[in-house]
Amino acid sequence: MIGAPPKVFTIPAGNAFVDCLARGLMQQSGADPLALSQTLLLLPNRRAARALGEAFLRLGEGRPQLLPTMVPLGDIDAEELLLEAGGSLGAAQDLALAPAIGDTHRTALLAQLVAGWLTSSGTSLPAAGVIRLARDLARLIDEADTAEIDWAKLDEIVPQALAAHWQTTRDFLKIVTEHWPAIVSSQGHLGPAARRRLLLDAQAALWAERPPQHPVVAAGSTGSIPAVGRLLARVAQLPQGQVVLPGLDQACSSDLWEAIAADPSHPQQGLARLLERLGTAPKEVAVWPDALPESGIASLTNLALRPALQTQSWRDLASGASERQHRSWQRALEGITWYDCADPRQEACLIALLLRRALETKGKTAALVTPDRALARRVAAELQRWGIEIDDSGGRPLLQTPPLVFLRLLAKCLAEDLAPEALLALLKHPFARAGRTRAELSRISRELERHLLRGPRPPAGLDGLRRALQRRLRAYPPLPKGLAERIEALFDSLEACLAPLDSASKQPTAAFPALFDALLQAAEALADGEGRAGAARLWAEETGEAAAEALSEIRAAAASLPDLAPGDLAGMIESLLEGRVLRPRYGLHPRLFLWGPLEARLQGADLLILGGLNEGTWPRPADPGPWLSRPMREALELPPPERRIGQSAHDLLQALAAPEVILTRALKQEGTPTIPARWLSRLEALTKVLGIETALKRPAVEAAAWVAELDRPERVEPCRPPTPRPPLEARPRQLSVTRIETWMRNPYAIFAGSILGLQKLDEIAEDPGPAERGQLIHAVLEAFVQAYPKALPADPEPALNRIVESSLADSGLDPSLQQLWQPRMTRLLAWFLEMEEQRRDDCQEVLAEVNGALALEGAQFRLTAKADRLELRSDGKIVLIDYKTGTLPRQREVNLGLAPQLPLEGAIARAGGFSSLPGAPLQDLELWRLVGGADSGEFKTISGGRNPDAETLAEKALEGLTALVAAFDQVETAYLAHPRPGAIPRFDDYRQLARVDEWSSDAGEVG
């Protein structure tokens, strides 16, 4: 008697699953061209259905053919069910199932429950945090519906066995389980997982009642979803039903198979549970027609990934192995190469090189498989250096598409009250127009940045920006002609565009629908320009359509979302759209692919590169989630988190059996050492036990060498110091005394700044620091001295305090910063008043911030200065004082002429070059260090005593300047960078421009 044909098959690892499946189905259909079209194929997901369709196309060499009906079980719908025994698709029986609730709508409803519970428990969270908790809760509900757990078992968990916070969570989950079914039912919906379960069970029940007589093949599924497992069991009982499993390990003993069934992290555990449901032993599973036996590497990997208690068999196997067996193991590793890379950048460069190399072989296909989306994006970017455009089939985050980036930037502007960084990012986005052309807005944005937003942070809001513009108009140097009017016009346009947001965000909290609508209106208004409506610009093309669809879902659920502070709007939108991706509709490259592990299931390529093989990346951590502890999950009979690791391990095992496989990992991630994926560690350990570790190719140096060669220039020429020699007529004929020291120490800075006109830009919205504090101190002391040049008032302290208050008000500094500086200012000004009271009796007059100049005889050079303080003594002599809020120059530098500022000011004063002050002898040159710290101030005389007197210092400084001018009046004299090794400036804005670090022996110094 001939036995019944087998019902359960496997396609061993090492076969291209979809190609092998298609080939077997074509063989079964024989010569009848219609037979294949009468077959119903149940596949894990839509990606598998698309891959199988491409496999039929390849095998048919492009000829037209009638394909089977392919139904994805993972996202099945009612109209795809086979509801007639005869085999046609359609709704022959109306299941009357409510539609699945939308993801955003469900999140909004759950957020209401979460927010209410947090309020009742006296806990507060930002709106975005509430949304994230609601999303986690939705995932838990889906997991529970998929696993078909009974929430009533939650009552059986003894509170005393739980920590306090888990008891609180248990109480909250009871509220959800009691109220959520009624809430979702009142909305006329079902949970997506619950609806899928009902559909699958309905199909299984129908086939039990009226089995179809046409072929039904369920392929590629491991039955991890209980409802899918029941349907597969029903398929195996149909007259022409077949179940095709991926990569079943049939070499396991019964004891080993029992251990696998108890180990959720094992790659075969899902198949073990499914075979138990099917009532089939592994030995009874047939190999799919025309499939090759399990590959050597698959057998070796299955051996490496045995449950921990079964690994003691490794040594027994190694000790009893023959020479032939050793050679077999070594051959199994021939197609595997393992690269350890220094960091993610090197890993991405190496993978791109390997993919590019694959194109050198005609017809060869290659794919990167990784769950690390950042690595996939890096590889795609690296491939562009060869003009290769490749899509990441895992998709890119929807939040990173241009329309939603623009929307998030606008929401960030709202949250940060038009902070300079946020405003500039918004104005420079390609969608921004504000009623102008893109070129016009770009130009005015650059001018706004250059002249108003660089330097100290302006006050918040449009009013603050307008006040900052008015202060800038009073400052030096003046703005270019017409710029103020152009900036004001931009502010008017922004005010009109942002008017809906401004009116919706007046209160501390607002309803989400009002804020959301206002945000969309403002975005469309800001994108309006160049004769095209903002809505047409934002929501056009594939990215715009996807963004509009996602935002429509949010708008439909907006009424259910909690009120929030206007500043939380950006975080709320990001939380609602977190995890949503935009997948490409069409691939860009016919032979290169980027796949996530899910996309790679059942697909294959000639070369598979498995990237990001580190713990925490692949596999992901076994996280039980925020709502249930491990004991609670066990009590509820939820699958352990390690099951996901087992599924990832099965994906990896299938991929390792490809014809050529390359494994890559980064040794460090953001400077932190990484741990190799547990599967790599297992494989490495097994090869050592079996004595075949040398067969596993691990070229440690090759990866670094290839990546280094990628950007290595053909030749390297040593960089020589710059030696600019501009024509004499271009050389400066006037410099200030502060620039003379720069000229001596770093002539290149004079060349770049005074001849080329290059000036260092301030940082955008930089926080006020020592420089701004010094300017404020100078302004206060200048105002006080100018108010009382001859004699102090009877009570100078109140007068000085009034000046301080006025200066702070004019400075535009943040009030909190003023409070921070206040103690230092108080100590400093007290020291200053003590100095004033000691010195005023011997002074005829004190002058502050006095402009002066001196023409050098016969040199056609003019020296300028602005003295901080000049004291005309009773004996007619002059004391020059320079205020310093930083480090004082060393006396040795003054004596050597390397710090000539004060001596040169003395030369100007002696010659009568300061306005309102006739020439007079010099008495002293003094430095006042104004710090306001533990030592409120420091007084230092740099002339007299053991040092040269003021007249001598001034004379030597003038002689040195005359010689310097004469030297640079020679055309062969170059403006060198750092010509004096012992006198390198402490600060150098042009160090990078002069490429000092490339040629100088002081490259380690920070200029």
Side-chain angles (χ1 to χ4, degrees), residues 459-785:
L462 270 176
D463 291 340
L465 290 172
R466 286 193 165 104
R467 292 198 303 273
L469 178 60
Q470 293 306 311
R471 281 199 304 274
R472 179 63 184 84
L473 289 173
R474 298 192 298 268
Y476 182 86
L479 291 176
K481 185 178 179 181
L483 177 58
E485 291 76 13
R486 293 196 297 274
I487 292 178
E488 280 285 3
L490 175 63
F491 289 165
D492 291 340
S493 299
L494 288 175
E495 186 172 27
C497 292
L498 303 181
L501 271 178
D502 185 61
S503 59
S505 59
K506 293 293 186 184
Q507 300 300 321
T509 59
F512 178 79
L515 277 176
F516 185 71
D517 290 344
L519 181 69
L520 294 180
Q521 293 174 26
E524 292 177 354
L526 194 60
D528 196 352
E530 292 182 329
R532 188 179 184 188
R537 176 170 285 112
L538 286 176
W539 318 124
E541 301 179 355
E542 181 182 4
T543 56
E545 292 172 5
E549 181 181 354
L551 295 174
S552 297
E553 293 180 18
I554 293 178
R555 186 62 189 86
S560 302
L561 290 166
D563 295 352
L564 72 162
D568 292 339
L569 183 59
M572 173 73 92
I573 293 174
E574 290 171 3
S575 299
L576 287 169
L577 297 179
E578 184 180 4
R580 297 191 63 158
V581 297
L582 175 64
R583 288 190 169 86
R585 293 178 179 173
Y586 306 102
L588 294 180
H589 201 282
R591 292 201 283 141
L592 298 184
F593 313 96
L594 297 183
W595 293 330
L598 185 61
E599 289 79 26
R601 287 179 184 174
L602 310 186
Q603 300 194 76
D606 299 322
L607 167 65
L608 282 187
I609 302 175
L610 311 183
L613 282 166
N614 283 325
E615 283 292 311
T617 301
W618 197 0
R620 300 288 186 190
D623 183 13
W627 296 107
L628 294 173
S629 65
R630 285 180 178 273
M632 294 170 73
R633 293 178 66 91
E634 185 177 353
L636 289 172
E637 298 182 2
L638 272 172
E642 286 76 13
R643 176 176 289 189
R644 289 189 291 271
I645 295 178
Q647 293 168 347
S648 294
H650 189 268
D651 294 337
L652 182 85
L653 190 147
Q654 292 285 99
L656 278 173
E660 183 183 359
V661 177
I662 293 175
L663 313 174
T664 70
R665 59 176 294 262
L667 295 175
K668 286 189 176 181
Q669 183 84 27
E670 297 180 355
T672 303
T674 58
I675 300 173
R678 62 191 66 190
W679 309 307
L680 294 186
S681 300
R682 279 291 195 95
L683 185 60
E684 184 180 27
L686 176 63
T687 59
K688 289 180 179 179
V689 172
L690 299 181
I692 58 171
E693 62 267 29
T694 57
L696 182 58
K697 296 186 290 293
R698 299 185 62 177
V701 180
E702 191 174 89
W706 284 359
V707 173
E709 286 295 325
L710 192 61
D711 293 318
R712 190 188 303 277
E714 292 183 2
R715 59 195 177 109
V716 178
E717 295 184 1
C719 177
R720 301 183 64 83
T723 56
R725 295 181 175 87
L728 294 180
E729 60 270 19
R731 304 191 180 198
R733 308 313 305 173
Q734 174 178 306
L735 287 174
S736 68
V737 293
T738 56
R739 299 285 285 163
I740 299 302
E741 180 175 347
T742 302
W743 198 6
M744 298 170 64
R745 293 174 179 262
N746 187 16
Y748 187 85
I750 300 299
F751 167 74
S754 299
I755 298 177
L756 298 183
L758 302 176
Q759 303 298 326
K760 180 184 177 182
L761 292 177
D762 294 329
E763 297 294 329
I764 295 174
E766 62 184 4
D767 293 326
E772 287 70 33
R773 187 169 65 242
Q775 293 170 6
L776 177 62
I777 292 170
H778 276 69
V780 169
L781 301 188
E782 175 189 2
F784 182 80
V785 171

Side-chain angles (χ1 to χ4, degrees), residues 136-391:
D136 286 333
L137 190 56
R139 281 191 284 268
L140 176 64
I141 291 172
D142 277 346
E143 187 179 6
D145 285 343
T146 298
E148 304 175 14
I149 70 164
D150 182 5
W151 280 109
K153 292 182 178 179
L154 193 66
D155 296 329
E156 300 173 9
I157 301 177
V158 181
Q160 289 75 16
L162 302 175
H165 67 286
W166 289 121
Q167 294 182 34
T168 304
T169 302
R170 170 183 173 274
D171 293 338
F172 171 71
L173 288 177
K174 287 180 61 177
I175 296 173
V176 172
T177 55
E178 291 171 1
H179 292 86
W180 176 245
I183 292 174
V184 72
S185 177
S186 68
Q187 299 287 322
H189 293 96
L190 285 170
R195 189 174 189 274
R196 179 183 59 197
R197 172 173 52 81
L198 292 173
L199 287 170
L200 292 172
D201 284 345
Q203 182 67 84
L206 176 64
W207 279 344
E209 181 181 347
R210 289 181 290 169
Q213 300 306 307
H214 59 80
V216 178
V217 180
S221 177
T222 59
S224 58
I225 299 174
V228 172
R230 290 193 293 271
L231 183 61
L232 296 184
R234 177 55 56 192
V235 169
Q237 298 171 7
L238 296 177
Q240 296 193 61
Q242 294 175 322
V243 177
V244 185
L245 305 178
L248 177 68
D249 182 9
Q250 296 179 286
C252 296
S253 64
S254 57
D255 292 343
L256 178 57
W257 200 248
E258 290 179 5
I260 288 174
D263 183 359
S265 65
H266 194 277
Q268 298 284 325
Q269 202 241 13
L271 293 174
R273 293 169 64 92
L274 178 59
L275 287 179
E276 183 181 355
R277 184 184 294 275
L278 296 176
T280 303
K283 300 292 185 182
E284 299 172 354
V285 176
V287 176
W288 184 249
D290 204 33
L292 298 174
E294 185 176 69
S295 66
I297 183 59
S299 300
L300 203 61
T301 307
N302 276 321
L303 182 60
L305 299 185
R306 284 186 175 183
L309 295 179
Q310 300 290 326
T311 55
Q312 74 271 11
S313 62
W314 291 356
R315 295 195 180 278
D316 299 335
L317 188 62
S319 61
S322 64
E323 186 64 29
R324 181 180 179 182
Q325 181 65 64
H326 270 92
R327 287 197 300 271
S328 172
W329 290 333
Q330 290 173 339
R331 284 195 300 271
L333 294 172
E334 286 178 354
I336 308 291
T337 307
W338 177 349
Y339 288 101
D340 287 318
C341 303
D343 52 39
R345 179 191 175 278
Q346 188 181 94
E347 184 180 12
C349 289
L350 173 67
I351 293 171
L353 279 167
L354 294 169
L355 291 172
R356 174 63 184 83
R357 186 176 67 175
L359 295 181
E360 297 297 311
T361 303
K362 185 177 180 180
K364 185 174 183 178
T365 58
L368 166 64
V369 181
T370 179
D372 188 345
R373 303 265 59 82
L375 177 62
R377 288 193 294 270
R378 281 177 181 264
V379 171
E382 289 291 341
L383 285 169
Q384 289 179 359
R385 70 167 72 215
W386 297 291
I388 297 174
E389 293 287 339
I390 183 171
D391 268 336

Side-chain angles (χ1 to χ4, degrees), residues 785 789-790 836 840 843-848 869-872:
V785 171
K790 296 184 180 296
E836 284 280 34
R840 284 299 182 105
C843 287
Q844 295 182 32
E845 187 177 5
V846 179
L847 304 176
R869 181 184 176 103
L870 279 165
E871 293 181 355
L872 183 59

Side-chain angles (χ1 to χ4, degrees), residues 917-936:
L917 187 67
L922 300 177
Q923 177 175 317
D924 277 320
L925 304 176
E926 298 178 358
L927 295 169
W928 288 10
R929 185 166 180 259
L930 310 172
V931 289
D935 297 327
S936 301

Side-chain angles (χ1 to χ4, degrees), residues 39-223:
T39 301
L40 174 67
L41 273 174
L42 303 180
L43 298 166
N45 48 49
R46 296 186 189 278
R47 298 184 193 90
R50 185 170 61 247
L52 184 58
E54 294 170 355
F56 278 117
L57 187 64
R58 285 192 299 272
L59 293 174
E61 297 179 349
R63 295 189 302 271
Q65 54 186 315
L66 296 175
L67 297 182
T69 300
M70 291 179 273
V71 177
L73 294 176
D75 32 20
I76 195 170
D77 208 348
E79 56 269 20
E80 295 176 319
L81 281 173
L82 192 66
L83 294 175
E84 289 187 17
S88 64
L89 292 172
Q93 295 179 0
D94 186 7
L95 291 178
L97 289 181
I101 190 170
D103 180 64
T104 305
H105 189 193
R106 178 172 63 167
T107 301
L109 293 174
L110 288 171
Q112 284 186 332
L113 289 175
V114 173
W117 179 75
L118 290 173
T119 301
S120 65
S121 63
T123 307
S124 63
L125 272 181
V130 173
I131 293 297
R132 289 191 177 94
L133 284 178
R135 291 174 66 87
D136 286 333
L137 190 56
R139 281 191 284 268
L140 176 64
I141 291 172
D142 277 346
E143 187 179 6
D145 285 343
T146 298
E148 304 175 14
I149 70 164
D150 182 5
W151 280 109
K153 292 182 178 179
L154 193 66
D155 296 329
E156 300 173 9
I157 301 177
V158 181
Q160 289 75 16
L162 302 175
H165 67 286
W166 289 121
Q167 294 182 34
T168 304
T169 302
R170 170 183 173 274
D171 293 338
F172 171 71
L173 288 177
K174 287 180 61 177
I175 296 173
V176 172
T177 55
E178 291 171 1
H179 292 86
W180 176 245
I183 292 174
V184 72
S185 177
S186 68
Q187 299 287 322
H189 293 96
L190 285 170
R195 189 174 189 274
R196 179 183 59 197
R197 172 173 52 81
L198 292 173
L199 287 170
L200 292 172
D201 284 345
Q203 182 67 84
L206 176 64
W207 279 344
E209 181 181 347
R210 289 181 290 169
Q213 300 306 307
H214 59 80
V216 178
V217 180
S221 177
T222 59

